[in-house]
Amino acid sequence: MQIYKVGGAVRDRLLGKPVTDIDWVVVGATAEEMLAQGFRPVGADFPVFLHPKSGEEYALARTERKSGRGYGGFTFHASPEVTLEEDLIRRDLTINAMAEDDQQNLTDPYHGQRDLDDRILRHVSPAFAEDPLRVLRVARFAARYAELGFKVAPETLELMRELSESGELEALTAERSWKEISRALMENQPQVFIQVLRDCGALKVLMPEVDALFGVPQPEAHHPEIDSGIHTLSVLEQAALHQQPLTVRWACLLHDLGKGLTPEEEWPRHIAHEHKGLKLIKAVNERFKAPKDCQELALLVGQYHTHGHRALELKASTLLELLQSFDVYRRPQRFEEFIVACEMDARGRKGLEQRSYPQADYLRGAASAARGVAVQPLLEKGFQGPELGEALKRERLKALKAYKESASS
């Protein structure tokens, strides 16, 4: 029995990055031998075991053969005869197909270290094209390592393009897709993930609503970058630069989908794109079964982001409606995420990345003014039920009018 550290742990050590998760491959062992040493089995499809003390995953060396569509369409074979090289060749990228023993002696049959040095994301073998999930994984690695100068090898991008055109991407489950998308959006340069998907034709399959934004112009006075797709990438880039949470990044990606529906004869204006985009945002949310908080914020940002930009001009009654829409009294955090999504939208414009966004503090102040209205005095006056709700609205409106006056003086 020989045990090797494999995959990401080896890659990140060689890159000088912190190693978090460690995967191990066991060569020359049977499942029975693993069980005899106290390992606990966890793999339903192939033999994976948890170490009795560390809890880390140890997998028997295995080969795989394509047997159906999609990510799960594989038959696995594990036996003591499977070599380390045979196990490594089934992996996605050369930089993930390296192993080292307990003395840190490197086994690198597919030149992963050379590709690390050359900053190349390259597939290990033609079997790469058998697994559609790898399109998303490679795009995610491109986003993770973009700051180090990594690029996808042209021949790998071509295989990704073939996969995108084959219909295999449609076989991916919503859960698997969302896992990759959500992880990619939380990388340092998530816009690279979207760009790589677009470069290989996968964006058109997975998120046609986002793909449709590219080539759609906007008024240059407000959007020096002009192209709606480029703007979306820039907004996502700003969200990452400002270390926003997943909810905000997801909303940033989807906020302008309605612009893809504007007839060409109306370009570069996009009248009512906020309302038109809601059905598209809803469709993307449902396609990937995004978590509820991501779904809700994306819809609210899509509908109200132009309200955010015009906050200083809004009437007190419109401000009140906006706050009510967000249930700002019980869910203040959601309104805060809306505000920062609007700010990322404003900054995601060519040459305007550093400009101030006074709307943010103004909206925070408005929310604070409305939340400051006490319920108890109204209860003491005898208001109950619907009448109490109306009285609260009147008092909040009064507070917002006073806030507007003080803010403008």
Side-chain angles (χ1 to χ4, degrees):
M1 184 190 297
Q2 295 168 295
I3 297 175
Y4 298 90
K5 191 181 292 182
V6 292
V10 180
R11 174 197 70 225
D12 287 343
R13 184 186 71 76
L14 292 171
L15 281 173
K17 286 187 160 288
V19 174
T20 48
D21 296 327
I22 300 179
D23 291 319
W24 304 88
V25 160
V26 183
V27 178
T30 64
E32 291 73 23
E33 287 171 325
M34 298 294 284
L35 294 171
Q37 292 196 27
F39 284 82
R40 301 192 310 278
V42 290
D45 300 320
F46 43 80
V48 177
F49 301 85
L50 297 182
H51 191 280
K53 290 181 181 173
S54 71
E56 291 174 337
E57 287 193 358
Y58 285 66
L60 295 186
R62 62 188 186 269
T63 59
E64 61 186 32
R65 185 171 51 82
K66 184 76 167 168
S67 59
R69 288 190 81 206
Y71 165 77
F74 291 90
T75 302
F76 296 93
H77 169 68
S79 81
E81 287 74 43
V82 176
T83 65
L84 179 60
E85 289 75 15
E86 286 174 324
D87 182 272
L88 293 175
I89 200 171
R90 64 181 178 77
R91 296 170 186 268
D92 50 7
L93 297 171
T94 58
I95 64 169
N96 296 330
M98 296 180 284
E100 60 184 25
D101 61 19
D102 57 3
Q103 302 298 310
Q104 290 192 345
N105 295 312
L106 192 68
T107 300
D108 181 18
Y110 309 109
H111 311 296
Q113 189 164 26
R114 183 183 67 193
D115 284 342
L116 272 187
D117 294 340
D118 293 341
R119 301 305 198 235
I120 294 288
L121 301 172
R122 191 193 316 276
H123 63 283
V124 178
S125 77
F128 174 95
E130 295 176 351
D131 184 353
L133 191 69
R134 288 175 169 178
V135 172
L136 289 164
R137 276 177 56 82
V138 173
R140 174 165 65 82
F141 280 119
R144 177 180 297 179
Y145 296 122
E147 62 187 5
L148 297 179
F150 275 82
K151 301 280 188 234
V152 181
E155 62 270 28
T156 302
L157 199 65
E158 183 55 38
L159 276 183
M160 292 165 69
R161 191 173 291 115
E162 288 173 18
L163 258 174
S164 300
E165 293 170 357
S166 70
E168 279 272 322
L169 289 177
E170 285 96 327
L172 290 174
T173 65
E175 292 77 12
R176 289 299 311 182
S177 296
W178 176 255
K179 186 177 179 182
E180 289 297 326
I181 291 166
S182 58
R183 289 177 72 185
L185 289 179
M186 291 309 294
E187 298 291 358
N188 288 335
Q189 295 199 35
Q191 76 281 4
V192 173
F193 171 73
I194 301 298
Q195 185 62 60
V196 170
L197 290 183
R198 185 160 188 268
D199 290 343
C200 71
L203 190 63
K204 189 165 54 181
V205 179
L206 296 166
M207 296 185 203
E209 301 87 351
V210 176
D211 191 67
L213 294 174
F214 290 87
V216 175
Q218 306 164 102
E220 190 173 359
H222 301 297
H223 287 277
E225 71 285 350
I226 299 176
D227 188 290
S228 298
I230 300 299
H231 167 63
T232 295
L233 295 184
S234 298
V235 176
L236 197 51
E237 182 178 11
Q238 288 298 314
L241 277 172
H242 290 84
Q243 299 184 324
Q244 299 300 343
L246 178 61
T247 45
V248 172
R249 298 188 193 203
W250 183 241
C252 286
L253 177 63
L254 305 185
H255 79 284
D256 262 352
L257 292 188
K259 290 179 178 176
L261 296 176
T262 305
E264 283 189 36
E265 59 270 20
E266 293 179 18
W267 289 353
R269 299 179 69 209
H270 298 279
I271 299 164
H273 75 275
E274 307 91 343
H275 179 71
K276 291 176 185 173
L278 293 180
K279 63 182 180 183
L280 301 184
I281 295 171
K282 192 174 181 184
V284 178
N285 275 335
E286 290 176 354
R287 185 178 311 136
F288 298 110
K289 296 182 180 173
K292 191 178 178 186
D293 57 348
C294 288
Q295 293 201 29
E296 289 177 352
L297 188 69
L299 285 164
L300 287 164
V301 170
Q303 185 169 1
Y304 292 113
H305 62 277
T306 48
H307 275 52
H309 301 327
R310 294 188 295 106
L312 303 174
E313 308 153 29
L314 297 180
K315 295 185 297 185
S317 57
T318 309
L319 264 177
L320 180 59
E321 287 172 16
L322 180 66
L323 296 173
Q324 305 273 76
S325 299
F326 279 84
D327 191 9
V328 76
Y329 316 106
R330 290 184 300 178
R331 300 185 63 181
Q333 183 57 31
R334 185 166 67 175
F335 191 62
E336 175 60 28
E337 291 182 351
F338 163 74
I339 291 171
V340 295
C342 290
E343 184 171 356
M344 298 307 101
D345 182 25
R347 290 177 183 272
R349 303 166 199 236
K350 189 177 178 184
L352 303 175
E353 296 85 357
Q354 303 302 321
R355 74 171 177 180
S356 63
Y357 193 70
Q359 296 93 322
D361 283 339
Y362 181 81
L363 286 168
R364 290 183 185 110
S368 181
R371 278 199 300 266
V373 173
V375 180
Q376 191 59 35
L378 298 174
L379 290 170
E380 289 170 1
K381 287 180 180 178
F383 287 108
Q384 292 180 351
E387 287 184 347
L388 176 63
E390 287 304 312
L392 256 178
K393 276 179 74 172
R394 286 194 299 272
E395 291 303 312
R396 284 166 177 163
L397 184 59
K398 204 182 295 181
L400 286 170
K401 284 178 178 175
Y403 171 72
K404 275 188 72 69
E405 282 178 24
S406 66
S408 60
S409 60

